[in-house]
Amino acid sequence: MNCLLVFARAPQPGKVKTRLAAHIGDEAAARLYAAMLQDTLAVAENAARDGKVEVVVSYTPSDAFAPGEFSLANFWRGAKMPQIGADLGEKMRFAIANGLEQGAERVLIIGSDLPDLESGILCEAFEKLTHYDLVFGPAQDGGFYLIGARAPLPDDIFDGVLWSLASTLQSVLHVARGLNLSVALLPQGADIDEWRDVQNFVANSPSNAPHFKAALRIINTR
């Protein structure tokens, strides 16, 4: 069994996609985030159709599944686990270790803000982990939209790494190779952090992401 972890946040206005919200407002940004989450979960479930992948939502904050308008329970009824750690690096290390402890042979983590994600990329990532220690999906902004491993990540894999910078992935790769870990890279993707990312998505007109496209149409008509 493989494990696919979707990192997700409760889509509460003012708490998600704050850089995007600076351009379109908190409510619209939260609506777009919720739509991207729906599309991501659909892609994840499609990748798990063969029964060899378990999809797990790794959530924050701790009450993200509590009943309410912005509850993640409105989007997901399957397996879930809280994000644990002081920063993103710790959360990813814990999540991968936990997935492996539960019996998974390979574990992937994806975010929920990549509307052009396709299930084939996830299948390719799992395949690469039969030959490599780590797999990354590079993001256009210099970070990564996916990380996968077949063994627990070393404690120091993210030492000195600064998040949300153009050098983020390169910093992680430098540390990984220094630890003699083999690394595979997937095709580059574009996550949605700012309004210009939305504009680039629209310009490229991918055929997927129906919920995101529908939410964007609503926002553009207001």
Side-chain angles (χ1 to χ4, degrees):
M1 177 68 71
N2 296 316
C3 179
L4 173 56
L5 291 160
V6 180
F7 268 34
R9 179 178 289 274
Q12 183 176 357
K15 301 294 186 179
V16 294
K17 293 300 164 191
T18 53
R19 282 186 282 168
L20 181 60
H23 185 91
I24 62 175
D26 291 341
E27 299 251 352
R31 181 187 290 271
L32 285 183
Y33 175 76
M36 286 190 285
L37 175 59
Q38 287 178 281
D39 287 328
T40 299
L41 292 174
V43 170
E45 289 190 297
N46 187 51
R49 282 188 304 174
D50 63 0
K52 297 179 181 179
V53 177
E54 180 183 25
V55 180
V56 180
V57 168
S58 181
Y59 62 90
T60 190
S62 59
D63 61 351
F65 276 87
E69 181 181 359
F70 307 114
S71 173
L72 288 178
N74 300 327
F75 304 89
W76 184 247
R77 301 289 184 178
K80 58 185 182 291
M81 60 172 283
Q83 294 180 22
I84 296 178
D87 58 23
L88 180 59
E90 284 190 13
K91 290 176 179 180
M92 290 191 293
R93 283 200 304 105
F94 172 84
I96 288 175
N98 185 73
L100 294 167
E101 287 173 4
Q102 297 302 315
E105 294 181 5
R106 293 163 287 190
V107 179
L108 297 183
I109 296 175
I110 57 174
S112 45
D113 58 357
L114 192 80
D116 62 353
L117 181 67
E118 297 181 351
S119 58
I121 290 292
L122 303 177
C123 296
E124 181 181 351
F126 279 124
E127 176 61 26
K128 287 187 180 296
L129 286 176
T130 63
H131 307 289
Y132 295 87
D133 298 315
L134 299 173
V135 61
F136 289 93
Q140 287 184 0
D141 61 6
F144 50 94
Y145 63 85
L146 177 152
I147 180 174
R150 58 185 182 182
L153 298 177
D155 291 345
D156 52 353
I157 185 70
F158 299 120
D159 279 4
V161 174
L162 300 177
W163 304 103
S164 301
L165 295 180
S167 59
T168 295
L169 176 56
Q170 289 305 315
S171 297
V172 177
L173 293 178
H174 177 75
V175 175
R177 287 163 178 155
L179 295 170
N180 294 317
L181 298 172
S182 58
V183 178
L185 296 179
L186 298 167
Q188 189 179 73
D191 48 13
I192 303 293
D193 290 317
E194 302 181 8
W195 183 246
R196 64 183 178 185
D197 300 326
V198 176
Q199 293 174 309
N200 289 336
F201 173 86
V202 172
N204 292 328
S205 298
S207 59
N208 49 346
H211 292 96
F212 182 72
K213 289 179 178 178
L216 192 56
R217 284 195 296 271
I218 293 172
I219 290 170
N220 285 336
T221 58
R222 292 186 173 183

